Amino acid sequence: MDTSNKKLMMLSANYSEIPLILAAKDQGFYVVTTGNNPNQPAHKFADEYAPHDYSDYDGMVELARDLGITAISQGCSDNCALTAAYMGEKLGLKGHDTFENAKIIHRKTDFKKFTEKEHIKSPLARYFYSYEEAIAFDTEGLYPLIVKPTDQAGGKGVSRVDNRKEYENALKYAFDRTRAGEVVVEAFIEGTLHSLSTFLLDQKVAAWSTFNDYSYVNRFMTNSGICPADNWELAAPILIEETEKVAQKLHLVDGLLHMQYIMRGNEPWIIEMMRRTPGNNCTTASSRATGINWRDWIIRAEAGMDCHGIPSTRMTEKYYGYHAIMSNCNGVFDCLDIAPDFKNKILDTVMYEPSGAEITDYLYEKMGVVQFYLESEAQKDHYMKQINEVLFCKMK
């Protein structure tokens, strides 16, 4: 695909989209950002900002037609993944799944129904379309459970529950945050959290990378990761087989398919999948660890370009990680405090907020992202256990 005079629309414009915008521009695309928030930081990295609410699917189609858009990127947003699929169908643009299949991947209720039907290794779940229906469900003997809205990411609206009172409170919390009015209740799997990024080519996995995922105060939102994951040699073959099964059942197009999984003993359990790029600029760490420029190939795939030249995964001997700087309370951000013995392991730091910025929602707000490397498994085990103290968000 010749990218001269081609226009790519980036549907979201947060910090996580900036590297994708730069990758698209490196490939010769004129980049247009959208969304109804003119203050999002990625707008200034694009060639043009065309404001529109990306939840208005038909309006987005008309906007893209008016602007002569020839490629679409969903960025790092689950909701934008649905918009991109809808727009791709209506505009005849390659690089995105059908709208129906995008909903199966990105809506938790649809995904859980699919995994149950196709015997994908994922925790069994119930799904409810009203609070009254969910509250009538008998949870006796089923704890612990996880309750989550079908259409939110980043841990929004998610709770673990161990008794009936917690279950009732969790339902209110989840239903208050779902736009679709749907909530999933599933078995809580004890274990360690990880992720697998795969690049599909002709519905087969052509490249992949794994991460250990870590959380801080918000236990349901990943803010740190290290590549490769513990026990990746055991988990990757099992999960790649499951990934290809999903890709073939749904006839998925070439490109990224990312999942989170829990390792319980020697068993990996798939929690969710997504076709959008993960946040926290984790593709920088995975690119360094595997020798693959993930952002470049993600943009190529979303633009419908031929991706048969993607190199295979080449694991390095070092560990590459990222850490999103978060506070453990609301207040005024002072600075990032770095442990002296960790400073020489930092590769780059991108700050989102300056000193003096007010933190009003510490469970979700990020001050910046640090990229680093560790030279051995011993270093990985040592530092990742205390990463939030090694890279500390200091408050005034």
Side-chain angles (χ1 to χ4, degrees):
M1 177 181 176
D2 178 13
T3 58
S4 60
N5 300 316
K6 299 296 183 180
K7 289 187 175 182
L8 180 140
M9 178 174 280
M10 183 64 65
L11 298 183
S12 185
N14 217 320
Y15 287 106
S16 294
E17 277 76 38
I18 293 172
L20 292 169
I21 290 171
L22 296 177
K25 294 180 77 170
D26 284 345
Q27 294 180 39
F29 283 100
Y30 181 94
V31 179
V32 179
T33 50
T34 187
N36 52 18
N37 182 358
N39 297 317
Q40 281 202 305
H43 293 314
K44 64 182 179 182
F45 291 86
D47 297 292
E48 181 180 346
Y49 169 46
H52 200 89
D53 184 349
Y54 54 69
S55 65
D56 174 15
Y57 293 170
D58 290 319
M60 288 295 298
V61 170
E62 291 307 310
L63 177 64
R65 284 198 179 111
D66 291 344
L67 293 173
I69 296 299
T70 58
I72 305 164
S73 176
Q74 58 212 356
C76 302
S77 166
D78 283 298
N79 290 320
C80 288
L82 296 183
T83 307
Y86 185 90
M87 293 174 68
E89 278 193 348
K90 296 296 183 181
L91 296 168
L93 297 179
K94 297 179 180 180
H96 299 276
D97 300 316
T98 66
F99 183 59
E100 288 305 312
N101 282 344
K103 287 195 291 185
I104 290 173
I105 295 292
H106 289 273
R107 288 290 178 257
K108 294 178 177 64
T109 45
D110 294 331
F111 181 68
K112 298 306 294 188
K113 291 176 184 177
F114 173 78
T115 58
E116 185 175 356
K117 177 184 176 184
E118 301 298 339
H119 305 290
I120 305 297
K121 196 170 180 59
S122 186
L124 290 175
R126 298 291 184 99
Y127 10 88
F128 301 102
Y129 304 96
S130 71
Y131 176 80
E132 291 74 23
E133 181 187 11
I135 203 71
F137 176 55
D138 183 4
T139 56
E140 187 66 31
L142 300 179
Y143 303 110
L145 295 168
I146 193 97
V147 179
K148 49 192 174 184
T150 188
D151 51 355
Q152 294 292 337
K156 294 182 176 66
V158 179
S159 304
R160 171 189 162 146
V161 301
D162 293 282
N163 56 57
R164 186 66 187 183
K165 183 62 175 177
E166 290 177 357
Y167 174 71
E168 294 173 0
N169 291 336
L171 287 179
K172 294 175 184 176
Y173 182 53
F175 272 108
D176 281 346
R177 283 154 183 80
T178 173
R179 298 174 183 174
E182 301 173 14
V183 163
V184 171
V185 178
E186 69 181 26
F188 183 86
I189 302 293
E190 297 281 359
T192 53
L193 184 63
H194 311 271
S195 57
L196 168 73
S197 286
T198 61
F199 194 95
L200 297 176
L201 197 59
D202 302 323
Q203 298 166 17
K204 294 284 189 179
V205 173
W208 53 272
S209 66
T210 60
F211 277 86
N212 286 350
D213 292 341
Y214 305 89
S215 302
Y216 188 27
V217 176
N218 184 345
R219 63 181 299 188
F220 300 112
M221 183 176 74
T222 299
N223 75 300
S224 303
I226 192 94
C227 180
D230 295 342
N231 298 314
W232 65 265
E233 301 97 330
L234 177 63
I238 298 170
L239 295 172
I240 286 172
E241 183 177 348
E242 294 286 80
T243 297
E244 292 179 344
K245 183 178 177 181
V246 172
Q248 290 158 20
K249 288 287 183 181
L250 296 178
H251 305 288
L252 299 181
V253 299
D254 293 349
L256 178 76
L257 180 60
H258 183 80
M259 72 164 70
Q260 279 199 308
Y261 66 95
I262 288 176
M263 203 70 179
R264 184 177 68 180
N266 293 330
E267 288 186 298
W269 289 80
I270 298 170
I271 303 303
E272 60 184 4
M273 288 186 171
M274 61 199 76
R275 302 229 62 186
R276 51 91 170 174
T277 305
N280 298 322
N281 197 5
C282 81
T283 51
T284 295
S286 59
S287 295
R288 286 171 170 150
T290 62
I292 299 168
N293 187 333
W294 282 86
R295 291 190 295 269
D296 179 71
W297 290 101
I298 288 167
I299 291 295
R300 286 173 179 265
E302 289 191 296
M305 299 167 69
D306 184 0
C307 293
H308 282 82
I310 187 170
S312 57
T313 298
R314 173 183 55 81
M315 299 303 298
T316 67
E317 293 183 0
K318 295 180 181 179
Y319 292 82
Y320 289 90
Y322 67 86
H323 176 73
I325 306 157
M326 298 181 70
S327 171
N328 59 4
C329 63
N330 290 332
V332 177
F333 172 61
D334 184 8
C335 64
L336 172 63
D337 192 313
I338 305 171
D341 61 326
F342 198 79
K343 287 183 178 179
N344 64 351
K345 304 184 186 311
I346 292 177
L347 295 167
D348 56 71
T349 302
V350 177
M351 297 304 300
Y352 300 159
E353 300 291 347
S355 177
E358 185 178 3
I359 299 173
T360 59
D361 192 358
Y362 71 95
L363 289 176
Y364 299 101
E365 292 182 42
K366 300 171 184 178
M367 300 296 102
V369 173
V370 177
Q371 301 284 335
F372 58 90
Y373 78 99
L374 300 172
E375 297 188 37
S376 66
E377 183 176 3
Q379 282 193 1
K380 180 261 296 180
D381 291 342
H382 172 72
Y383 283 111
M384 296 312 295
K385 289 177 182 177
Q386 53 180 329
I387 191 65
N388 292 294
E389 289 74 45
V390 170
L391 297 167
F392 180 67
C393 181
K394 193 173 181 180
M395 305 293 285
K396 290 185 177 180

